[in-house]
Amino acid sequence: MLSGRLYWVPLLLALGVGSGSGGGGDSRQRRLFAAKVNKHKPWIETSYHGVITENNDTVILDPPLVALDKDAPVPFAGEICAFKIHGQELPFEAVVLNKTSGEGRLRARSPIDCELQKEYTFIIQAYDCGAGPRETAWKKSHKAVVHIQVKDVNEFAPTFKEPAYKAVVTEGKIYDSILQVEAVDEDCSPQYSQICNYEIVTTDVPFAIDRNGNIRNTEKLSYDKQHQYEILVTAYDCGQKPAAQDTLVQVDVKPVCKPGWQDWTKRIEYQPGSGSMALFPSIHLEMCDGAVSSLQIVAELQTNYIGKGCDRETYSEKSLQKLCGASSGIIDLLPSPSAATNWTAGLLVDSSEMIFKFDGRQGAKIPDGIVPKNLTDQFTITMWMKHGPSPGVRAEKETILCNSDKTEMNRHHYALYVHNCRLVFLLRKDFDQADTFRPAEFHWKLDQICDKEWHYYVINVEFPVVTLYMDGATYEPYLVTNDWPIHPSHIAMQLTVGACWQGGEVTKPRFAQFFHGSLASLTIRPGKMESQKVISCLQACKEGLDINSLESLGQGIKYHFNPSQSILVMEGDDIGNINRALQKVSYINSRQFPTAGVRRLKVSSKVQCFGEDVCISIPEVDAYVMVLQAIEPRITLRGTDHFWRPAAQFESARGVTLFPDIKIVSTFAKTEAPGDVKTTAPKSEVLEEMLHNLDFCDILVIGGDLDPRQECLELNHSELHQRHLDATNSTAGYSIYGVGSMSRYEQVLHHIRYRNWRPASLEARRFRIKCSELNGRYTSNEFNLEVSVLHEDRVSDKEHVNHLIVQPPFLQSVHHPESRSSIRRSSVVPSIATVVIIISVCMLVFVVAMGVYRVRIAHQHFIQETEAAKESEMDWDDSALTITVNPMEKHEGPGHGEDETEGEEEEEAEEDMSSSSGSDDSEEEEEEEGTGRGRHGQNGARQAQLEWDDSTLPY
């Protein structure tokens, strides 16, 4: 062995470096040596499979990364120094853990994201350490394939593809799938990227969802119950991670297509004074794609329970007759109860509409002289009547109007009554008019007589022709019976309403044939018939249906209104035109103060299809118009409520004007919200004036009726006729009536005069005014006026002087200068007598001045009697003053320096005596002149200072 080793040394030396001078030879020797030492290449597996979790740097390989070298245990040659990866920009590196054992590790150089790349494949080789420490002559293994899979982490939550889903379903059906929602997950692995479950978050909804996101309904849906459902849905991936945000699913329930009107409102509010208001601005007809050949629409406004069948003016019948242009001479048989018309006081009355209700036990006697005894061949009877079927099995006559014998006999001269739902008019002529068999009974058979609704009846008589107008339409009698005239007699007749007076053929006179129903505006017009135009005006409604923009209805629409415009019929063959036409139908109420309440509104339809009569049934539109309460006016009367006049004015031909400054004002309270919206302060009320009409003003005498032998109220009839008003005069007062503006009534009231040609016994007279609108619906305050008489013989001069002395408030502005000579004497001989004389003279001078002034004021009152006193206390009567002028003091009068103090007058008494006397003389001359001469400003101011209140005086 030793000889062997010794042998290899010289051999190696010979192969390496023969001598120190041969450098090239040394290099070749080293390579040869290394080749002989590092004879083998490293060895590794041919393929590796690895797994790495994302966001981690450790790769788990199978098999493990180990390199072997057969040169081991030779140092360097048998050791592993490196593993090299072949590939560009790979996020991995291989490191040697142990050179001797050849163990290595594969790791990530940067974070691995599965969502970016799920797998990696590359080549790896192992390198030994070569032949020496300088890492020369390395040998590398063969190439091995490495396949690495990236393991996913559930880092992303599912998200829905759509932020919201919407579907429409038809009511009454069960759907397998209404719609499908879909969510996705950005994770890379099937485990975390797949959606394994969906869930409905909203509770108590009739829906369910499956694992694929299909939503179905669990019960039949109803459009009437709920139009729309909104549900929230979430999703879960297979790692049970829920969606980051739920999605909204909206399901609209569509009703089963049924033909009918759509988009209309059941309650329609109408504000008084708003004019014409569209009822169905958006209505349209749904026909479910059905073919239609023609369509008929009937819109009906039901107002039979409002007043007398609809909203009409509630003025008195006479006022309405005048507004409609009816002829004069109309007699109201059912007027408002009053002192002059007291025969209706005992009847049942609906005061808001002046409707009289008859229950079969009441009747009213019309006083004699109201209606002429014998009607001419021409006259008119008008009335509003509401009547139902007659009570009882055997119907009796129900008398509306009857003129019968007052005593002895029971003859009916003329009568209007209902019998078995027939309207009968009886007219019996006297023998002195005609001695032949003539028409006497006229019968009309109409369903409206017993339908319990209001109707307007007018009976025009032009004997022997009698015509009935009901609600403006003409009806001829279906039956006319003849009879002989009545034998003449001297028996008085009794006209009654609501029953017929039976004065003869009974033990005790009584009412018979009572009426059951309601009556209003029962009038009779002797000597003339009413025209069709007036009749239509009297029964016309103030409310009804209307059409806006008639010209825009189109050529294909036919329409028709009934006379009261409560029914509208439209026909057409195009649904679009019908829809537009019905959208233009409106409600209108022209009353300033309409009756508040409900008006029913119905729309019925008839559809005709091609080749069929009626093919589709359209449900009725059942709505109502709610007329809101109008703002009620507050009528206020203002003016002078107390004044005095001399007796001579009461005795004059024109008397005393009672209300020269009366003012009628109507206001309503308007609520105003505070300026700051955020404040909680209460709303304030502001009064605003309202202009409207009045229909009567009553001037009542308070404290006993007028004595016609010595006093009366007067008004020039031209004042009434110019303003289209009427009046009645009695001892109880004066009534002005008729529809007119408040200013018209003011002008008439300004001319009411009171005369008393024996005022000596009169202390005072009190009057009261009360005005009304709409026949008492709105009334004013009660304005009271007291008129007093100033008597001359009741006040003496001494009383005047004493009263003037005890009025300090008024004496402060009027001075009483003494004469300059008296001042000197009082300073020389200061005696009691001198002081008394001076005071008497001063007071006498003052009385003289005041007497002259009062004479002038009285003269002005005579000339301008229609002017009102500015204040009731400012009126003054000077007729009772007896003025006595002392001749010795005729040049003395009030001082001209009214603004000077008393001390200043004493200091300048001697200097101003002459000038003061001169001014007094000129003032007296000016006062004696006529009223045509103008006064200077100083005199006018002095006159104003001399006026005072006499209300505290005892006369």
Side-chain angles (χ1 to χ4, degrees):
M1 290 293 294
L2 180 61
S3 61
R5 293 189 190 98
L6 294 176
Y7 173 81
W8 277 107
V9 170
L11 181 61
L12 290 173
L13 293 173
L15 292 173
V17 179
S19 60
S21 60
D26 295 339
S27 175
R28 285 193 298 272
Q29 290 176 358
R30 285 193 295 271
R31 285 196 300 272
L32 180 60
F33 179 80
K36 289 181 178 181
V37 174
N38 189 11
K39 295 188 296 182
H40 300 93
K41 299 178 182 179
W43 179 88
I44 59 175
E45 297 288 345
T46 58
S47 64
Y48 293 90
H49 293 276
V51 176
I52 184 172
T53 303
E54 62 177 343
N55 300 326
N56 200 345
D57 61 351
T58 301
V59 179
I60 300 174
L61 286 177
D62 182 25
L65 183 60
V66 176
L68 301 176
D69 197 322
K70 290 182 179 181
D71 293 325
V74 177
F76 302 109
E79 296 176 345
I80 303 301
C81 278
F83 292 98
K84 289 188 179 181
I85 296 174
H86 299 281
Q88 295 181 353
E89 299 180 357
L90 291 172
F92 298 99
E93 64 179 359
V95 296
V96 178
L97 298 179
N98 191 322
K99 292 182 179 183
T100 303
S101 63
E103 295 180 28
R105 175 182 297 173
L106 191 63
R107 65 185 181 185
R109 290 183 294 134
S110 60
I112 302 299
D113 191 349
C114 178
E115 285 72 37
L116 295 178
Q117 190 168 343
K118 298 179 181 180
E119 295 180 351
Y120 294 89
T121 301
F122 51 86
I123 302 298
I124 190 171
Q125 285 181 303
Y127 289 80
D128 61 13
C129 294
R134 295 184 180 179
E135 298 182 0
T136 60
W138 282 11
K139 288 186 181 293
K140 57 184 177 181
S141 68
H142 60 270
K143 295 179 180 179
V145 178
V146 179
H147 182 75
I148 298 177
Q149 287 186 332
V150 181
K151 186 178 181 181
D152 189 22
V153 174
N154 195 4
E155 57 183 335
F156 292 99
T159 57
F160 286 94
K161 288 186 175 182
E162 301 292 338
Y165 295 84
K166 186 174 183 179
V168 178
V169 298
T170 303
E171 64 175 347
K173 293 178 63 177
I174 296 292
Y175 290 82
D176 294 333
S177 177
I178 296 174
L179 59 87
Q180 183 181 18
V181 297
E182 185 177 359
V184 294
D185 196 311
E186 295 182 3
D187 290 312
C188 65
S189 64
Q191 180 183 4
Y192 299 137
S193 64
Q194 291 183 0
I195 306 300
C196 285
N197 191 23
Y198 291 92
E199 182 179 313
I200 295 177
V201 178
T202 308
T203 59
D204 298 329
V205 289
F207 298 97
I209 190 169
D210 61 14
R211 299 184 60 172
N212 295 322
N214 293 304
I215 298 177
R216 60 183 177 84
N217 57 319
T218 57
E219 62 183 47
K220 293 181 179 181
L221 305 179
S222 172
Y223 176 81
D224 296 332
K225 181 180 179 181
Q226 191 165 344
H227 295 358
Q228 186 183 81
Y229 292 88
E230 290 184 348
I231 58 178
L232 294 176
V233 176
T234 190
Y236 295 91
D237 62 16
C238 293
Q240 294 303 306
K241 190 167 188 175
Q245 185 175 0
D246 301 334
T247 188
L248 175 65
V249 178
Q250 179 178 309
V251 180
D252 293 332
V253 181
K254 184 178 70 173
V256 175
C257 187
K258 298 176 182 177
W261 294 100
Q262 306 293 330
D263 295 339
W264 54 273
T265 305
K266 187 175 184 64
R267 175 188 171 98
I268 307 157
E269 290 189 353
Y270 181 80
Q271 185 67 43
S274 58
S276 180
M277 183 188 69
L279 295 171
F280 308 111
S282 302
I283 196 170
H284 64 276
L285 182 61
E286 175 62 59
M287 290 299 299
C288 301
D289 300 327
V292 176
S293 62
S294 65
L295 185 63
Q296 183 187 71
I297 308 298
V298 179
E300 181 180 1
L301 183 69
Q302 299 177 347
T303 59
N304 49 359
Y305 47 88
I306 304 295
K308 295 191 289 289
C310 68
D311 217 2
R312 293 181 167 90
E313 295 290 6
T314 56
Y315 293 115
S316 64
E317 186 62 23
K318 286 187 177 180
S319 297
L320 289 176
Q321 298 273 0
K322 181 167 288 189
L323 286 174
C324 291
S327 56
S328 58
I330 295 172
I331 303 169
D332 192 356
L333 300 181
L334 286 176
S336 302
S338 65
T341 57
N342 57 0
W343 65 85
T344 58
L347 300 178
L348 299 175
V349 181
D350 182 356
S351 59
S352 63
E353 300 284 345
M354 285 311 300
I355 295 171
F356 292 84
K357 299 180 180 180
F358 295 87
D359 56 1
R361 293 173 296 186
Q362 291 178 317
K365 293 183 180 180
I366 308 298
D368 296 338
I370 300 296
V371 180
K373 287 186 177 181
N374 295 318
L375 298 176
T376 61
D377 287 346
Q378 284 189 349
F379 60 92
T380 300
I381 299 175
T382 67
M383 67 174 177
W384 284 95
M385 183 176 74
K386 180 180 179 180
H387 182 265
S390 302
V393 179
R394 183 171 176 267
E396 295 184 355
K397 294 180 180 180
E398 298 180 57
T399 300
I400 300 169
L401 181 66
C402 180
N403 190 31
S404 59
D405 290 333
K406 186 176 291 188
T407 57
E408 299 182 23
M409 303 179 72
N410 189 31
R411 298 175 302 173
H412 295 180
H413 297 264
Y414 63 87
L416 181 64
Y417 60 90
V418 175
H419 190 210
N420 290 325
C421 292
R422 291 168 173 80
L423 186 65
V424 182
F425 177 65
L426 170 69
L427 180 61
R428 300 287 300 278
K429 290 291 186 177
D430 292 339
F431 263 105
D432 55 357
Q433 294 175 330
D435 192 8
T436 58
F437 203 57
R438 306 196 68 178
E441 281 189 344
F442 304 84
H443 299 250
W444 293 272
K445 184 178 181 181
L446 302 172
D447 294 336
Q448 291 87 340
I449 295 173
C450 290
D451 65 357
K452 297 182 181 180
E453 305 291 346
W454 281 104
H455 299 284
Y456 187 62
Y457 299 85
V458 178
I459 297 175
N460 265 348
V461 179
E462 191 174 16
F463 196 80
V465 178
V466 178
T467 305
L468 171 67
Y469 294 87
M470 188 194 70
D471 296 336
T474 306
Y475 296 89
E476 299 294 334
Y478 82 96
L479 175 65
V480 178
T481 59
N482 297 333
D483 202 347
W484 291 103
I486 296 178
H487 291 280
S489 66
H490 299 288
I491 301 174
M493 292 179 287
Q494 177 64 61
L495 183 61
T496 57
V497 175
C500 198
W501 182 253
Q502 190 172 0
E505 302 177 1
V506 291
T507 305
K508 183 180 179 181
R510 58 181 175 85
F511 280 116
Q513 300 176 3
F514 290 96
F515 179 72
H516 298 79
S518 299
L519 297 174
S521 304
L522 177 61
T523 68
I524 189 167
R525 170 61 174 92
K528 193 170 182 180
M529 296 190 304
E530 288 298 351
S531 65
Q532 177 72 43
K533 181 179 179 181
V534 172
I535 293 172
S536 298
C537 175
L538 290 173
Q539 64 92 31
C541 290
K542 287 295 182 178
E543 65 178 342
L545 299 176
D546 193 14
I547 296 181
N548 294 329
S549 304
L550 292 175
E551 64 277 1
S552 62
L553 286 182
Q555 299 294 331
I557 299 297
K558 298 178 182 179
Y559 68 93
H560 171 71
F561 283 103
N562 68 332
S564 62
Q565 289 200 199
S566 61
I567 299 176
L568 170 64
V569 180
M570 294 190 299
E571 295 181 1
D573 54 6
D574 184 80
I575 295 179
N577 290 338
I578 287 290
N579 289 338
R580 287 187 289 273
L582 191 55
Q583 290 169 7
K584 297 179 184 300
V585 176
S586 61
Y587 170 80
I588 188 170
N589 195 319
S590 59
R591 289 190 67 187
Q592 187 175 18
F593 306 107
T595 304
V598 172
R599 275 76 165 162
R600 297 287 179 190
L601 183 64
K602 291 187 178 297
V603 178
S604 57
S605 312
K606 290 184 180 180
V607 180
Q608 184 174 355
C609 299
F610 293 96
E612 301 181 27
D613 292 336
V614 178
C615 58
I616 299 175
S617 177
I618 305 294
E620 284 188 347
V621 171
D622 188 4
Y624 64 93
V625 178
M626 173 58 73
V627 179
L628 304 179
Q629 182 68 46
I631 300 176
E632 297 190 359
R634 186 183 304 166
I635 307 171
T636 306
L637 304 178
R638 295 197 297 260
T640 303
D641 58 359
H642 191 187
F643 63 84
W644 291 262
R645 291 291 184 269
Q649 292 192 23
F650 291 91
E651 296 174 346
S652 65
R654 294 189 58 82
V656 175
T657 302
L658 292 180
F659 312 105
D661 62 345
I662 194 73
K663 185 70 177 175
I664 306 175
V665 178
S666 180
T667 58
F668 68 95
K670 182 179 180 181
T671 304
E672 281 194 353
D676 187 2
V677 179
K678 298 180 180 179
T679 183
T680 58
K683 297 180 180 180
S684 59
E685 282 193 354
V686 178
L687 292 180
E688 291 191 5
E689 288 197 18
M690 175 188 294
L691 297 178
H692 57 87
N693 292 329
L694 300 177
D695 55 4
F696 73 81
C697 282
D698 284 342
I699 300 100
L700 303 177
V701 181
I702 308 301
D705 290 352
L706 297 175
D707 187 352
R709 295 171 299 179
Q710 67 179 32
E711 56 183 342
C712 68
L713 290 174
E714 291 183 348
L715 177 64
N716 193 339
H717 287 285
S718 63
E719 300 292 340
L720 290 169
H721 295 159
Q722 291 175 5
R723 294 164 180 85
H724 306 287
L725 299 176
D726 293 318
T728 57
N729 192 3
S730 67
T731 58
Y734 215 105
S735 292
I736 304 167
Y737 59 89
V739 180
S741 63
M742 293 182 289
S743 60
R744 286 186 182 180
Y745 270 86
E746 280 182 6
Q747 294 167 5
V748 172
L749 290 175
H750 288 169
H751 292 84
I752 294 288
R753 303 185 305 276
Y754 170 65
R755 289 184 59 198
N756 192 318
W757 43 93
R758 297 177 187 174
S761 60
L762 180 66
E763 288 289 340
R765 259 298 181 192
R766 291 189 299 127
F767 302 93
R768 176 178 297 163
I769 303 181
K770 190 173 184 180
C771 297
S772 163
E773 160 73 314
L774 294 175
N775 208 17
R777 180 176 173 184
Y778 305 116
T779 58
S780 71
N781 61 314
E782 293 183 350
F783 176 78
N784 296 312
L785 169 68
E786 183 172 342
V787 180
S788 301
V789 182
L790 294 173
H791 298 285
E792 296 182 0
D793 57 349
R794 297 195 56 188
V795 183
S796 65
D797 293 343
K798 183 176 179 180
E799 290 174 333
H800 274 290
V801 173
N802 291 337
H803 286 305
L804 293 174
I805 292 175
V806 298
Q807 298 292 331
F810 304 102
L811 292 179
Q812 290 176 359
S813 60
V814 181
H815 300 292
H816 310 281
E818 301 171 340
S819 65
R820 297 337 184 234
S821 59
S822 299
I823 294 174
R824 291 194 194 98
R825 286 194 300 271
S826 64
S827 61
V828 176
V829 186
S831 63
I832 296 176
T834 304
V835 174
V836 172
I837 293 172
I838 292 173
I839 294 174
S840 301
V841 171
C842 292
M843 294 306 303
L844 184 58
V845 171
F846 178 77
V847 170
V848 170
M850 291 306 303
V852 173
Y853 171 72
R854 291 177 183 174
V855 169
R856 176 174 293 178
I857 293 300
H859 186 62
Q860 291 176 355
H861 277 302
F862 259 98
I863 295 174
Q864 303 175 351
E865 64 183 12
T866 59
E867 294 183 1
K870 295 182 179 180
E871 297 290 338
S872 61
E873 295 85 357
M874 298 290 288
D875 288 289
W876 180 260
D877 175 54
D878 53 24
S879 61
L881 288 177
T882 304
I883 303 172
T884 305
V885 181
N886 190 345
M888 298 192 61
E889 302 292 336
K890 66 179 180 178
H891 295 294
E892 296 178 2
H896 69 288
E898 292 181 2
D899 295 334
E900 298 176 358
T901 61
E902 208 172 307
E904 292 174 346
E905 291 179 355
E906 291 179 358
E907 293 175 359
E908 301 176 0
E910 294 181 359
E911 297 176 3
D912 296 343
M913 184 180 299
S914 59
S915 62
S916 177
S917 300
S919 64
D920 292 341
D921 294 339
S922 63
E923 183 178 343
E924 290 178 6
E925 291 174 2
E926 187 179 19
E927 290 175 351
E928 291 172 357
E929 291 178 1
T931 58
R933 180 178 176 183
R935 298 179 177 87
H936 296 289
Q938 181 181 357
N939 295 336
R942 182 176 302 165
Q943 177 181 349
Q945 289 178 344
L946 290 176
E947 295 180 359
W948 66 66
D949 181 12
D950 57 2
S951 60
T952 57
L953 297 180
Y955 48 84

